[in-house]
Amino acid sequence: MTQPKGYALITGASSGIGAVYANRLAQQGYDLILVARNQQRLEHLAKRLKSDTQRNVEVVVADLNLAADLARIEQLLQDDSRISLLVNNAGVGATASLLESDADKMDAMILLNVLALTRLAKAAAANFVAQGRGTLINIGSIVALAPTLLNGVYGGSKAYVQAFSESLEHELKDKGVTVQVVLPGVTATEFWDVAGLAVTNLPEAMIMTAEHLVDAALAGLALGEKVTIPSLPDSQDWAAYEAARLALGPNLSHRSPAQRYGVTTA
Ligand code: NAP
């Protein structure tokens, strides 16, 4: 018998990675608040999870690109002390290059992947800090580390998610709040259809199921990882990457430009 753990609010719970989080977190003993635009899908999932797990499952239909809907979810996250976990998962991608992209679609991507994620994280963080507990999971992407792989706005938005999450983790770690950023590689979901390239066009060896992705991400959370890259075979590779980044630290801000630029500062 699992112990009740409070409510987990999952954005983008109507399909793919978010729907699997809903399933796994209900099995772990969380009650759920499922957020997305597609009411029918959310209610179908809620009904199934209620019957499979006997947990409470609430559905909140919201388009996080609409200011009023976003404000409603922010308010919920900030005020509802039952919520102990946020999975900031809703996101969209694109495969077209910037020059071939529609500028309004790029705006919408930034709005969802960056702005909505940030506002929801802030609202949840305020609630969690007030309670002295809580978990925030942000879904990034490996394109944060490989920005030339897909559309530059998508890569940039996910680099933001990674940097933002690491900063938030640093800010909240002494306040009882856990922050994890998950960097999925190619995952078999509708993401690819929305992004403009069916996942079947990609090499099978690169494609993980959403179930395996979420199970690994939750295992990473249980291990205390701040950054989880489910595909990465050797965690020492990430440690080395981080060490190289940190080694730059002492030289990132000096009074004078580096000698190679030939700027006289006398
Ligand atoms: P998905 O199946 O397309 O799921 C995206 C979810 O976001 C859906 O539930 C969708 O639901 C919701 N959503 C989209 N626009 C929304 C909006 N304006 N307001 C509210 N909800 C919205 O794709 P997925 O792969 O599970 O994606 C989940 C996350 O993983 C995204 O952040 C994505 O960037 C990230 N990721 C995916 C991959 C991959 O290869 N699949 C790799 C790296 C990272 P509705 O349509 O019902 O609103």
Side-chain angles (χ1 to χ4, degrees):
M1 182 71 183
T2 47
Q3 291 299 313
K5 296 186 168 171
Y7 275 75
L9 188 148
I10 304 163
T11 67
S14 63
S15 66
I17 293 168
V20 178
Y21 265 107
N23 179 294
R24 300 307 196 251
L25 292 172
Q27 284 172 10
Q28 284 190 10
Y30 284 92
D31 296 310
L32 302 176
I33 302 172
L34 308 179
V35 178
R37 294 168 302 182
N38 189 319
Q39 181 165 10
Q40 205 182 354
R41 279 183 161 186
L42 289 176
E43 280 174 357
H44 181 75
L45 178 64
K47 193 171 165 200
R48 185 162 59 76
L49 292 179
K50 272 188 219 171
S51 122
D52 288 355
T53 67
Q54 278 75 56
R55 306 270 20 130
N56 298 308
V57 186
E58 297 174 12
V59 163
V60 183
V61 176
D63 181 343
L64 298 174
N65 276 348
L66 299 179
D69 283 13
L70 177 58
R72 204 157 36 88
I73 307 303
E74 272 180 85
Q75 202 73 55
L76 182 62
L77 278 166
Q78 190 155 330
D79 296 346
D80 190 335
S81 58
R82 301 173 307 166
I83 299 173
S84 58
L85 190 153
L86 167 63
V87 187
N88 233 335
N89 163 76
V92 287
T95 52
S97 68
L98 181 69
L99 290 183
E100 289 164 353
S101 302
D102 176 76
D104 291 338
K105 275 197 174 167
M106 297 298 100
D107 274 7
M109 188 187 299
I110 294 168
L111 213 58
L112 182 63
N113 295 7
V114 175
L115 185 131
L117 176 134
T118 304
R119 296 196 68 114
L120 298 182
K122 185 178 190 310
N127 184 344
F128 295 165
V129 168
Q131 314 264 351
R133 58 103 185 96
T135 302
L136 176 49
I137 300 170
N138 289 330
I139 305 301
S141 165
I142 54 110
V143 295
L145 306 176
T148 54
L149 273 187
L150 290 178
N151 172 283
V153 176
Y154 180 63
S157 75
K158 292 301 184 176
Y160 174 88
V161 173
Q162 193 202 330
F164 172 71
S165 302
E166 290 196 58
S167 167
L168 205 56
E169 194 279 334
H170 180 71
E171 183 179 336
L172 300 181
K173 66 179 171 204
D174 297 329
K175 298 183 164 67
V177 181
T178 301
V179 180
Q180 179 201 31
V181 60
V182 179
L183 275 51
V186 179
T187 311
T189 70
E190 292 169 19
F191 169 90
W192 290 93
D193 304 303
V194 178
L197 179 82
V199 74
T200 45
N201 291 298
L202 297 165
E204 230 177 279
M206 290 179 74
I207 307 171
M208 193 177 286
T209 66
E211 287 77 9
H212 289 164
L213 183 275
V214 173
D215 287 341
L218 286 170
L221 180 71
L223 287 170
E225 289 183 355
K226 297 183 261 188
V227 180
T228 295
I229 308 174
S231 294
L232 193 71
D234 187 350
S235 63
Q236 281 309 309
D237 287 346
W238 173 254
Y241 178 88
E242 274 293 275
R245 183 179 69 77
L246 290 172
L248 295 174
N251 281 320
L252 290 178
S253 184
H254 287 312
R255 191 163 170 268
S256 305
Q259 214 176 7
R260 68 182 173 281
Y261 298 119
V263 180
T264 311
T265 56

